[in-house]
Amino acid sequence: MVPKGKLLIIGGAVDLGSSLSYNENVSHPHYVKFFELGILKRIISESAKAENSVIEVITTASKIPEIVGEEYINSFKQLQVNNVNVMDIRSRTDVMIPEYLERIAKADVVMFTGGYQLRLSSIFGGTPFLQLLKKRYHEDKFLIAGTSAGAAAASTNMIYRGSSSEALIKGEVQITAGLGFIDSVIVDTHFVQRGRIGRLFYAVASNPGMLGIGLGEDAGLLITEGNCLEAIGSGLTILVDGRYISETSIYEVEIGSPVSIDGLKVHVMSIFDRYDLEKHELIIKKSIKVEEGVFLKDKSEDN
């Protein structure tokens, strides 16, 4: 079934309060950077009701949910979107509150903030709340967005732990079930800045039927019809295709031993590029840099 909804996943940003991980630093007074505002603007333009959208911000992944929720409310207000609410869900008991199901049923956009993705999978997994989100995503013009942990948890399988430096040591990268909005991919975030390419190589080598997606901190993907990926933001997105792996030692070596992989295929996407998940084709589009951080599509390619 082709989803009627849209999925927008974002790599996050270093000083973005909503994407802080284990050691959340709340000293920075403004967490939502210009890039994030640009992504929020894209979320609004992709929503069926634009500025009139009802947006629910889910702060479950974060250890500072009050601060993060307020930042998103203020940021959306700057973009003339005033119907923004925060779901302060911190446990599986919270997620069972009927009011939250009612609000999801009326929302146009749901935004998962950053933090720690295992909180998302362990709190929402197997709940009526998650079932309703999936139903709306498949049946309605409904947009689900996620940044950092919210992006990593969007797929059926997700990386939730793993050292960047030791990523290609068997047993270092750990994978579990995600929220399941999209199949056949696995997502890693803060990708370039934190040197996580080894984590994604390992994840794909152990699951070669999945496409690995590495999102830079100023990069995102808009996913439509469940299989069309469009690169947004000024950063890079790395795609790792394991279908051509000819040999790997991952199933033979002992835990703690290095892993060898032969035949990984890697793509690099930048703004406006598209990737077809069904055909496994990358379509490269030219862009024109107008000013710092602002890019426009090269219209000459449309002729």
Side-chain angles (χ1 to χ4, degrees):
M1 179 180 178
V2 176
K4 292 183 180 179
K6 300 174 182 178
L7 185 63
L8 200 155
I9 54 176
I10 308 158
V14 173
D15 64 351
L16 180 64
S18 60
S19 66
L20 293 171
S21 183
Y22 299 99
N23 300 311
E24 291 181 281
N25 181 356
V26 299
S27 63
H28 196 291
H30 301 293
Y31 296 99
V32 181
K33 296 174 66 179
F34 174 78
F35 163 73
E36 187 72 1
L37 286 174
I39 293 295
L40 296 187
K41 189 172 182 179
R42 183 63 184 267
I43 289 171
I44 295 163
S45 68
E46 292 293 336
S47 175
K49 295 183 182 177
E51 287 83 1
N52 296 318
S53 298
V54 176
I55 300 176
E56 295 287 352
V57 178
I58 300 176
T59 57
T60 305
S62 178
K63 294 179 182 178
I64 49 170
E66 301 94 341
I67 295 173
V68 170
E70 190 65 26
E71 284 291 326
Y72 274 99
I73 289 173
N74 293 336
S75 297
F76 277 117
K77 280 184 178 178
Q78 291 180 47
L79 300 171
Q80 287 72 55
V81 182
N82 296 310
N83 201 346
V84 183
N85 310 296
V86 175
M87 290 190 173
D88 188 9
I89 297 171
R90 306 191 190 193
S91 68
R92 288 182 67 84
T93 301
D94 291 343
V95 84
M96 301 299 180
I97 296 173
E99 175 196 344
Y100 290 136
L101 286 175
E102 295 169 5
R103 285 166 57 178
I104 288 296
K106 296 176 182 177
D108 302 297
V109 176
V110 164
M111 177 82 193
F112 285 94
T113 70
Y116 185 31
Q117 53 263 40
L118 194 59
R119 288 184 55 81
L120 295 176
S121 59
S122 60
I123 289 175
F124 291 105
T127 63
F129 186 98
L130 183 56
Q131 292 171 6
L132 180 58
L133 276 177
K134 290 180 178 179
K135 178 180 173 64
R136 294 218 55 207
Y137 171 62
H138 282 278
E139 298 180 2
D140 301 331
K141 292 181 178 180
F142 183 66
L143 192 151
I144 299 174
T147 184
S148 188
S155 53
T156 300
N157 297 281
M158 74 173 189
I159 299 170
Y160 74 94
R161 186 178 178 184
S163 163
S164 299
S165 60
E166 303 291 335
L168 286 173
I169 301 298
K170 186 172 181 178
E172 284 296 317
V173 176
Q174 297 182 20
I175 300 170
T176 190
L179 299 179
F181 301 127
I182 181 170
D183 297 323
S184 70
V185 304
I186 191 162
V187 181
D188 208 353
T189 58
H190 302 279
F191 189 70
V192 177
Q193 291 79 357
R194 299 187 187 176
R196 288 179 169 174
I197 194 163
R199 294 197 343 171
L200 202 58
F201 283 172
Y202 185 94
V204 171
S206 60
N207 300 273
M210 294 190 300
L211 180 74
I213 298 175
L215 295 171
E217 291 185 345
D218 51 356
L221 286 178
L222 174 67
I223 303 170
T224 53
E225 299 182 349
N227 58 44
C228 179
L229 282 56
E230 178 192 347
I232 58 178
S234 61
L236 298 178
T237 294
I238 309 297
L239 304 181
V240 180
D241 189 345
R243 293 175 303 129
Y244 302 98
I245 292 176
S246 58
E247 188 59 78
T248 176
S249 63
I250 197 167
Y251 50 85
E252 294 178 331
V253 300
E254 299 293 330
I255 296 292
S257 300
V259 172
S260 302
I261 311 165
D262 182 26
L264 277 173
K265 187 174 183 180
V266 176
H267 305 282
V268 180
M269 295 179 73
S270 60
I271 190 167
F272 303 126
D273 290 348
R274 293 178 182 268
Y275 187 85
D276 189 318
L277 270 176
E278 287 189 348
K279 298 179 181 178
H280 298 282
E281 290 180 355
L282 177 64
I283 302 167
I284 295 177
K285 298 288 186 180
K286 292 180 182 177
S287 64
I288 302 172
K289 189 171 184 179
V290 179
E291 58 185 59
E292 186 174 356
V294 178
F295 294 80
L296 296 177
K297 183 178 176 182
D298 186 347
K299 298 296 184 181
S300 67
E301 290 194 328
D302 297 333
N303 299 328

